[in-house]
Amino acid sequence: MAEKSELVYIIQPIENEKYRILQEEAVALIESAGAEYAGTIYQNIREINPATYIGEGKLRELRERLEGLELTVLFNGGLSPSQTQNISKALGGRKVIDRTTLILDIFALRAESSEGRLQVELAQLKYLYPRLKGKGGELSRLGGGIGTRGPGETQLETDRRHIRTRIHALEERLKEIEQRRFLQVERRKKDKVRTIALVGYTNTGKSTLLNALTGADVLTKDALFATLDPTARSFEIEGVPFLLVDTVGFLQDLPHHLIEAFKSTLESALHCDLALIVCDAAGDYETQLNTTLDTLREMGFSSPYLVVLNKCDLAPGADAGKDAVRISAREGRGLEELKRRIFAELKDSFVCTELFVPYSRSAEYGKLRPLLFEKTVSYTDEGALICAVIPSIYAPQFQEFRKI
Ligand SMILES: Nc1nc2c(ncn2[C@@H]2O[C@H](COP(=O)(O)OP(=O)(O)OP(=O)(O)O)[C@@H](O)[C@H]2O)c(=O)[nH]1
Ligand SMILES: [Mg+2]
């Protein structure tokens, strides 16, 4: 855990109009890492200084401003290893981290499952690797984020060859896990239950919605990246079962290595029958939606989706277009409408029907049974009467048993 007392000061480059959102996100990231936000210095970037990114004058000003204060400096963008070092030097040897390091740090803090930990470690090592070139004694300072979590001091101090070996081992291990998951996904595709994925920006209320729809008790938290591991729960709409999958959240400029590392865990979302893209009505929902869609599409997502505008209790006037479903997951508002929309989107993928299975054909039916979902079963003198939900692709196989 990071020490509570670690204070972080932000350098915020102003390159385009996005900078305010990026600055607000950086504050939330700092707090999510268990550190405290100390202040921001803004810098208009007309020309990137290759050595220090921002100008020397600004760095001098910052050095004076921070004189005598124990602070870590967050550069809210991506820095090359030498830029990190140069800025650190210009600020009197202060610890300097960039946005990627901070995000990786939070992921390291949150990772709970063994796969999650492997994925984060891989992303961290891949990010660190090019930064370790002959840096000798400076490794741990360069490598450490807030509270120097992650691969840890010992690993950072080992040489690059060990890191390369470790990266290779992690990749192999993750590939195995991925292969296993791929088989599961393949199996699920043919499964009788349609899968709905909750995707979207971090902290928009995906886990809260999962809980509201399924009665689950998944951790929800006012913090970025509270959920890392996918969680699945089933629920029913009009007696039809669905599987709802919660996933890791997105953010602007998510480190590429991190997306790569988490690709396999997002597999369930990529191959879902329907995605619910959850946005925060009280935030910049357009950016959230675009970031989410861009990131997903980069990974090969092409499923149908519904835009869900959550937290409408906080921003009743928010409007994300007529197709967006407006809800408040926390207050349970709009959920009936959401279910109606989900059902409408997926209704062509299954058939609700009644079957009659004469006792003489029980064995034959028994073989087909894994393909459908039985809602109710009752028995007559001649056979069984079954109310069932059948995936449309399997419906023809049940034709002879169908009553309606
Ligand atoms: N006011 C309000 N707050 C909400 C609503 N839904 C969720 N929240 C709050 O928003 C915060 C984030 O909720 P989560 O469900 O953890 O969000 P998430 O999308 O799962 O976040 P990550 O797992 O970090 O990606 C929590 O403090 C929730 O209580 C809502 O409808 N209204
Ligand atoms: Mg969550």
Side-chain angles (χ1 to χ4, degrees):
M1 276 291 292
E3 295 150 37
K4 262 271 166 281
S5 58
E6 182 154 359
L7 280 167
V8 183
Y9 201 91
I10 301 174
I11 303 179
Q12 177 62 58
I14 303 179
E15 290 159 333
N16 54 37
E17 69 293 344
K18 270 194 343 190
Y19 76 96
R20 283 220 178 275
I21 301 171
L22 288 169
Q23 191 270 348
E24 278 166 25
E25 282 177 3
V27 174
L29 285 169
I30 289 167
E31 285 165 0
S32 295
E36 274 180 59
Y37 166 63
T40 303
I41 190 167
Y42 293 94
Q43 173 62 43
N44 261 311
I45 308 281
R46 260 170 256 113
E47 213 174 304
I48 295 172
N49 179 334
T52 53
Y53 206 101
I54 63 170
E56 278 170 34
K58 205 65 179 180
L59 280 173
R60 249 195 319 277
E61 184 191 323
L62 188 60
R63 181 173 181 162
E64 280 159 24
R65 196 184 292 187
L66 303 185
E67 196 74 64
L69 299 172
E70 210 169 293
L71 287 168
T72 295
V73 169
L74 166 70
F75 180 87
N76 198 19
L79 288 180
S80 72
S82 65
Q83 285 167 340
T84 311
Q85 268 189 312
N86 293 338
I87 295 179
S88 170
K89 214 180 287 164
L91 297 177
R94 207 173 270 288
K95 184 160 109 187
V96 173
I97 57 174
D98 67 2
R99 186 174 162 100
T100 299
T101 309
L102 180 55
I103 293 175
L104 288 171
D105 233 30
I106 297 172
F107 271 70
L109 184 69
R110 299 270 195 269
E112 264 173 23
S113 71
S114 56
E115 182 180 11
R117 281 200 295 266
L118 295 176
Q119 287 167 325
V120 175
E121 187 183 345
L122 178 63
Q124 284 182 313
L125 290 178
K126 280 192 159 177
Y127 191 67
L128 282 177
Y129 184 71
R131 292 169 153 67
L132 297 182
K133 221 179 282 169
K135 291 292 184 298
E138 304 205 50
L139 293 191
S140 57
R141 189 163 53 78
L142 266 184
I146 287 193
T148 56
R149 268 184 307 274
E153 296 288 315
T154 43
Q155 249 146 352
L156 293 175
E157 279 150 19
T158 52
D159 64 13
R160 284 164 50 84
R161 196 143 52 94
H162 280 135
I163 292 186
R164 224 167 36 222
T165 315
R166 180 75 185 145
I167 286 178
H168 186 69
L170 286 169
E171 279 174 343
E172 288 296 305
R173 179 85 191 89
L174 283 166
K175 221 182 282 165
E176 270 169 40
I177 299 176
E178 196 174 326
Q179 184 58 27
R180 221 177 307 141
R181 191 194 313 278
F182 178 71
L183 295 175
Q184 279 167 7
V185 170
E186 283 299 294
R187 214 172 298 139
R188 196 182 290 155
K189 262 198 224 159
K190 298 191 198 80
D191 214 2
K192 54 191 173 189
V193 179
R194 302 294 96 196
T195 309
I196 302 165
L198 287 162
V199 291
Y201 227 56
T202 177
N203 213 35
T204 51
K206 298 180 295 300
S207 301
T208 308
L209 181 55
L210 176 91
N211 290 344
L213 286 175
T214 68
D217 192 16
V218 170
L219 170 80
T220 65
K221 200 169 160 179
D222 189 12
L224 305 188
F225 307 118
T227 306
L228 284 195
D229 300 313
T231 315
R233 293 282 187 283
S234 57
F235 76 118
E236 289 184 6
I237 307 176
E238 295 185 26
V240 179
F242 296 99
L243 193 68
L244 193 61
V245 186
D246 191 10
T247 59
V248 60
F250 299 129
L251 197 68
Q252 278 184 74
D253 307 327
L254 258 192
H256 178 70
H257 290 316
L258 205 53
I259 296 176
E260 268 302 303
F262 275 80
K263 203 170 164 174
S264 66
T265 12
L266 280 163
E267 205 78 357
S268 52
L270 297 179
H271 299 289
C272 65
D273 297 292
L274 177 70
L276 303 181
I277 304 188
V278 184
C279 302
D280 181 347
D284 180 353
Y285 40 86
E286 269 177 36
T287 303
Q288 294 170 1
L289 177 61
N290 293 336
T291 305
T292 305
L293 272 176
D294 289 349
T295 317
L296 283 174
R297 283 183 180 142
E298 257 169 51
M299 290 189 282
F301 168 85
S302 62
S303 303
Y305 65 87
L306 283 176
V307 177
V308 179
L309 194 59
N310 187 32
K311 306 197 192 180
C312 281
D313 54 301
L314 297 179
D319 183 5
K322 66 173 173 35
D323 290 334
V325 191
R326 299 161 48 82
I327 65 160
S328 166
R330 193 149 81 180
E331 298 188 352
R333 281 196 263 154
L335 300 185
E336 289 311 311
E337 170 65 7
L338 176 60
K339 286 189 203 169
R340 208 183 53 71
R341 291 284 300 276
I342 292 173
F343 201 79
E345 288 289 332
L346 291 173
K347 71 175 185 330
D348 291 339
S349 63
F350 55 81
V351 189
C352 292
T353 186
E354 256 185 61
L355 306 175
F356 181 73
V357 181
Y359 292 122
S360 57
R361 300 183 66 185
S362 296
E364 196 185 326
Y365 174 75
K367 284 195 199 119
L368 294 172
R369 199 164 160 243
L371 301 178
L372 58 52
F373 175 77
E374 290 180 341
K375 274 166 56 172
T376 58
V377 185
S378 56
Y379 300 95
T380 68
D381 287 346
E382 286 82 34
L385 207 53
I386 300 156
C387 269
V389 181
I390 312 173
S392 304
I393 46 166
Y394 301 136
Q397 302 187 44
F398 290 91
Q399 201 53 41
E400 287 178 47
F401 296 113
R402 279 174 75 170
K403 288 193 67 186
I404 46 172

